Amino acid sequence: MPRLLAFDTSTEHLSVAVRHGERLFTHSGAGGAQASSTLIPLILQLLAEAGLELAALDAIAFGRGPGSFTGLRTACSVAQGLAFGAGVPLLPVDTLLAVAEEARHAFGARQVVAVLDARMDQLYAARYDFDGGGALGGADSEPLLLAPEALEVPAGWCLAGNAFAAYGPRLAPAAARHEVLPTATAMLRLAPTLLAAGRTVDAAHAWPLYVRDKVAQTTDERAAIKAAALAVPPVANQS
C-alpha cells in the first residue's frame, strides 16, 4: 500500500487525507478563502499523526480541477512547493473523476455524469462509466463548461456533484442525483490505479485544469497564491 498525501481545495470544502499502510488520517472543513492559510498546517498535522515525513511519501495527489480558480491555484502551488522540497512525484487528479468515484463508493453508482457548480450560471461536467471504463471510469468526454439546460444525461445514468442547490430542476430533472464533493479520500482510492498507469508528473509539470479560460488574477487570488507558496516549510536533508 503506497504512502500517500491527497488534498482538494477546488470547492468551498477543503479535504485532506494521508494513507500510511492500512491507516487513514483525514480532515474536512471549510475551504474557500481560508484554504491558503489552513491547508499546509493541516497537511503537517496529518503527516505527524501518521508518523510520516514528507520525503517518505510515494506521491502527493491534488485536485487539479476544474473548480474554483483560487482553490486550484492554491492546491497546485502547495503541491509543487511540497514536491520540490521533498523530491516526491505529484499525482494530479481530475476533480470530476473524484466526484464520480465518491458517488461510486458511497452510492454504488456505475454510470455517472459528474457536475460541479462553475458559477456564472454554468457548470463543469464529464461522464464516467465504471462498467465500461474500468477502475477509473473511462471518461467518454473531456470536461465541459456549459449551461445547466445544455447538460445531456443518458438514460439510466445518474448525476453527482454539488450543482443541485444552484440549478435545481434546470439540471436533467429525471435523473437520479447524489450530492457529493471531490474528496481527498476519493483521490486516495483512485491513486493506486493512477500510479500504475504512470500518471505522476514532476512538480515543474503540474498545472491546474481550468476549463474556463481566465487570464487575469484578482488581488485576493494573487495574495492567496503568494501566501500558499510562502507557507511551504523547508524539508530537512534526509541523507
Side-chain angles (χ1 to χ4, degrees), residues 126-150:
R127 297 179 186 176
Y128 297 91
D129 185 351
F130 290 97
D131 287 329
L136 296 180
D140 64 4
S141 68
E142 292 295 320
L144 302 174
L145 177 69
L146 69 171
E149 293 84 357

Short mmCIF file of all heavy atoms in Angstrom, two decimals, residues 126-150:
data_model
loop_
_atom_site.label_atom_id
_atom_site.label_comp_id
_atom_site.label_asym_id
_atom_site.label_seq_id
_atom_site.Cartn_x
_atom_site.Cartn_y
_atom_site.Cartn_z
N ALA A 126 -18.62 16.03 -16.78
CA ALA A 126 -17.97 14.97 -17.55
C ALA A 126 -18.66 13.66 -17.20
O ALA A 126 -19.19 13.49 -16.10
CB ALA A 126 -16.47 14.88 -17.26
N ARG A 127 -18.62 12.70 -18.14
CA ARG A 127 -19.25 11.39 -17.93
C ARG A 127 -18.19 10.34 -17.59
O ARG A 127 -17.11 10.33 -18.16
CB ARG A 127 -19.97 10.94 -19.20
CG ARG A 127 -21.13 11.82 -19.64
CD ARG A 127 -21.72 11.25 -20.91
NE ARG A 127 -22.75 12.10 -21.50
CZ ARG A 127 -23.36 11.86 -22.65
NH1 ARG A 127 -23.03 10.77 -23.35
NH2 ARG A 127 -24.28 12.67 -23.11
N TYR A 128 -18.57 9.45 -16.65
CA TYR A 128 -17.67 8.36 -16.26
C TYR A 128 -18.48 7.07 -16.17
O TYR A 128 -19.50 7.01 -15.49
CB TYR A 128 -17.01 8.65 -14.90
CG TYR A 128 -16.13 9.88 -14.94
CD1 TYR A 128 -16.65 11.14 -14.63
CD2 TYR A 128 -14.80 9.79 -15.32
CE1 TYR A 128 -15.85 12.27 -14.69
CE2 TYR A 128 -14.00 10.92 -15.38
CZ TYR A 128 -14.53 12.15 -15.06
OH TYR A 128 -13.74 13.27 -15.13
N ASP A 129 -18.00 6.04 -16.86
CA ASP A 129 -18.67 4.74 -16.90
C ASP A 129 -17.76 3.70 -16.23
O ASP A 129 -16.79 3.23 -16.83
CB ASP A 129 -18.95 4.36 -18.35
CG ASP A 129 -19.76 3.08 -18.47
OD1 ASP A 129 -19.96 2.40 -17.45
OD2 ASP A 129 -20.18 2.76 -19.60
N PHE A 130 -18.06 3.34 -14.99
CA PHE A 130 -17.24 2.39 -14.26
C PHE A 130 -17.47 0.95 -14.72
O PHE A 130 -16.70 0.06 -14.38
CB PHE A 130 -17.49 2.50 -12.75
CG PHE A 130 -16.95 3.79 -12.17
CD1 PHE A 130 -17.79 4.88 -11.97
CD2 PHE A 130 -15.62 3.91 -11.83
CE1 PHE A 130 -17.30 6.07 -11.44
CE2 PHE A 130 -15.11 5.09 -11.31
CZ PHE A 130 -15.95 6.16 -11.11
N ASP A 131 -18.54 0.71 -15.46
CA ASP A 131 -18.75 -0.61 -16.04
C ASP A 131 -17.92 -0.79 -17.30
O ASP A 131 -17.30 -1.83 -17.51
CB ASP A 131 -20.24 -0.83 -16.35
CG ASP A 131 -21.06 -1.02 -15.10
OD1 ASP A 131 -20.51 -1.56 -14.12
OD2 ASP A 131 -22.24 -0.63 -15.10
N GLY A 132 -17.90 0.24 -18.14
CA GLY A 132 -17.19 0.11 -19.41
C GLY A 132 -15.78 0.65 -19.40
O GLY A 132 -15.01 0.41 -20.33
N GLY A 133 -15.39 1.39 -18.34
CA GLY A 133 -14.09 2.04 -18.34
C GLY A 133 -13.16 1.60 -17.24
O GLY A 133 -12.13 2.24 -17.02
N GLY A 134 -13.50 0.52 -16.53
CA GLY A 134 -12.60 0.03 -15.50
C GLY A 134 -12.60 0.90 -14.26
O GLY A 134 -13.53 1.66 -13.99
N ALA A 135 -11.52 0.80 -13.48
CA ALA A 135 -11.45 1.43 -12.17
C ALA A 135 -11.48 2.95 -12.23
O ALA A 135 -11.80 3.60 -11.24
CB ALA A 135 -10.20 0.97 -11.43
N LEU A 136 -11.11 3.54 -13.38
CA LEU A 136 -11.07 5.00 -13.49
C LEU A 136 -12.28 5.57 -14.20
O LEU A 136 -12.33 6.75 -14.51
CB LEU A 136 -9.79 5.44 -14.21
CG LEU A 136 -8.49 5.13 -13.48
CD1 LEU A 136 -7.30 5.62 -14.27
CD2 LEU A 136 -8.48 5.74 -12.09
N GLY A 137 -13.25 4.73 -14.49
CA GLY A 137 -14.49 5.25 -15.04
C GLY A 137 -14.49 5.53 -16.52
O GLY A 137 -15.53 5.78 -17.10
N GLY A 138 -13.33 5.50 -17.17
CA GLY A 138 -13.27 5.68 -18.63
C GLY A 138 -14.06 6.86 -19.13
O GLY A 138 -15.05 6.70 -19.83
N ALA A 139 -13.68 8.07 -18.76
CA ALA A 139 -14.43 9.27 -19.18
C ALA A 139 -14.65 9.26 -20.68
O ALA A 139 -13.71 9.12 -21.46
CB ALA A 139 -13.68 10.53 -18.77
N ASP A 140 -15.91 9.39 -21.09
CA ASP A 140 -16.18 9.38 -22.54
C ASP A 140 -16.34 10.79 -23.09
O ASP A 140 -16.80 10.97 -24.20
CB ASP A 140 -17.42 8.53 -22.85
CG ASP A 140 -18.70 9.09 -22.24
OD1 ASP A 140 -18.65 10.17 -21.63
OD2 ASP A 140 -19.74 8.44 -22.38
N SER A 141 -15.95 11.79 -22.29
CA SER A 141 -15.92 13.17 -22.79
C SER A 141 -14.91 13.96 -21.98
O SER A 141 -14.65 13.66 -20.83
CB SER A 141 -17.31 13.82 -22.66
OG SER A 141 -17.65 14.02 -21.30
N GLU A 142 -14.33 14.96 -22.62
CA GLU A 142 -13.48 15.89 -21.89
C GLU A 142 -14.37 16.73 -20.97
O GLU A 142 -15.56 16.91 -21.24
CB GLU A 142 -12.73 16.80 -22.87
CG GLU A 142 -11.69 16.08 -23.71
CD GLU A 142 -10.55 15.54 -22.88
OE1 GLU A 142 -10.12 16.25 -21.93
OE2 GLU A 142 -10.12 14.41 -23.13
N PRO A 143 -13.82 17.25 -19.88
CA PRO A 143 -14.63 18.13 -19.03
C PRO A 143 -15.19 19.30 -19.83
O PRO A 143 -14.48 19.92 -20.63
CB PRO A 143 -13.62 18.62 -17.98
CG PRO A 143 -12.59 17.54 -17.93
CD PRO A 143 -12.47 17.03 -19.33
N LEU A 144 -16.46 19.56 -19.65
CA LEU A 144 -17.15 20.59 -20.40
C LEU A 144 -17.58 21.72 -19.47
O LEU A 144 -17.82 21.52 -18.28
CB LEU A 144 -18.40 20.02 -21.09
CG LEU A 144 -18.19 18.87 -22.06
CD1 LEU A 144 -19.55 18.34 -22.53
CD2 LEU A 144 -17.35 19.31 -23.25
N LEU A 145 -17.72 22.90 -20.03
CA LEU A 145 -18.31 24.05 -19.35
C LEU A 145 -19.56 24.41 -20.12
O LEU A 145 -19.50 24.73 -21.32
CB LEU A 145 -17.32 25.23 -19.35
CG LEU A 145 -17.84 26.53 -18.74
CD1 LEU A 145 -18.03 26.39 -17.22
CD2 LEU A 145 -16.89 27.69 -19.05
N LEU A 146 -20.72 24.33 -19.47
CA LEU A 146 -21.97 24.55 -20.19
C LEU A 146 -23.07 25.03 -19.27
O LEU A 146 -22.96 24.96 -18.04
CB LEU A 146 -22.40 23.27 -20.91
CG LEU A 146 -22.88 22.07 -20.10
CD1 LEU A 146 -23.45 21.01 -21.03
CD2 LEU A 146 -21.77 21.44 -19.28
N ALA A 147 -24.15 25.52 -19.88
CA ALA A 147 -25.32 25.94 -19.12
C ALA A 147 -26.04 24.71 -18.58
O ALA A 147 -25.99 23.63 -19.20
CB ALA A 147 -26.26 26.75 -20.02
N PRO A 148 -26.72 24.82 -17.45
CA PRO A 148 -27.41 23.66 -16.89
C PRO A 148 -28.36 22.98 -17.86
O PRO A 148 -28.42 21.75 -17.93
CB PRO A 148 -28.16 24.25 -15.68
CG PRO A 148 -27.38 25.46 -15.32
CD PRO A 148 -26.83 26.02 -16.59
N GLU A 149 -29.11 23.78 -18.63
CA GLU A 149 -30.09 23.20 -19.57
C GLU A 149 -29.43 22.43 -20.70
O GLU A 149 -30.07 21.60 -21.35
CB GLU A 149 -30.97 24.31 -20.16
CG GLU A 149 -31.89 24.98 -19.17
CD GLU A 149 -31.21 26.11 -18.40
OE1 GLU A 149 -29.99 26.33 -18.61
OE2 GLU A 149 -31.89 26.78 -17.62
N ALA A 150 -28.15 22.70 -20.95
CA ALA A 150 -27.45 22.04 -22.07
C ALA A 150 -26.88 20.68 -21.67
O ALA A 150 -26.41 19.94 -22.54
CB ALA A 150 -26.32 22.94 -22.57
#
